[in-house]
Amino acid sequence: MHFNAGLPTDALLLAAGATENTNSLVSFAWIMAAALLAPLVSYMLGYRLPSVALLLIFGMIIGPSVLDLAAEDEGIEMLKELGVGALFLLAGFEIQISTLKPKKPGRHYLPGSSVPSPVAWAPTSWWITCPVPSSLPWR
């Protein structure tokens, strides 16, 4: 008689020692531990180091370059894409609009943005319109 208590068979196989998904599950556990610890460590440091920076640091530590605790396989691919989106969202939350405004009233940053545009546009337009020599290997 086989009793499964209404659990999916994958859970029973994992508990019984099946190893085909173990690498993904262990990687997922390390990634979730880093995601949990980053805001806690940021709070303990008095928010002197943002949680986004800690997420990047923890990701480098548990990733394949340093400790190789989280492997990059097909089970983690979608989580990686969602994590990048969440990281950009968190970084956007930490931007303060008041720091982007000019300090002195009446002073604008228009010269800082209008001068580099033509300077960059001129060589780019020349490069796009110049003929490609026939001696190049991709021609």
Side-chain angles (χ1 to χ4, degrees):
M1 179 174 178
H2 184 66
F3 180 71
N4 67 2
L7 296 174
T9 56
D10 293 341
L12 293 174
L13 288 176
L14 182 64
T19 59
E20 65 261 359
N21 294 326
T22 304
N23 200 15
S24 295
L25 291 174
V26 170
S27 296
F28 183 73
W30 280 110
I31 292 168
M32 290 299 109
L36 176 71
L37 287 177
L40 295 175
V41 172
S42 178
Y43 173 76
M44 288 190 303
L45 294 174
Y47 296 111
R48 288 186 299 256
L49 191 60
S51 61
V52 173
L54 286 170
L55 283 170
L56 291 171
I57 292 169
F58 289 163
M60 287 187 286
I61 291 172
I62 67 170
S65 299
V66 179
L67 294 180
D68 198 20
L69 298 173
E72 192 173 339
D73 58 357
E74 62 274 352
I76 303 297
E77 285 296 320
M78 187 173 76
L79 182 66
K80 182 174 74 170
E81 297 296 326
L82 290 172
V84 169
L87 185 66
F88 287 147
L89 182 69
L90 286 172
F93 282 148
E94 294 191 10
I95 293 176
Q96 296 176 0
I97 301 296
S98 62
T99 60
L100 300 176
K101 293 181 181 175
K103 303 283 187 231
K104 298 177 183 174
R107 182 161 184 173
H108 299 286
Y109 295 105
L110 185 61
S113 63
S114 62
V115 171
S117 297
V119 171
W121 178 77
T124 304
S125 63
W126 173 80
W127 182 73
I128 289 173
T129 58
C130 75
V132 178
S134 60
S135 62
L136 294 176
W138 61 81
R139 176 101 174 153

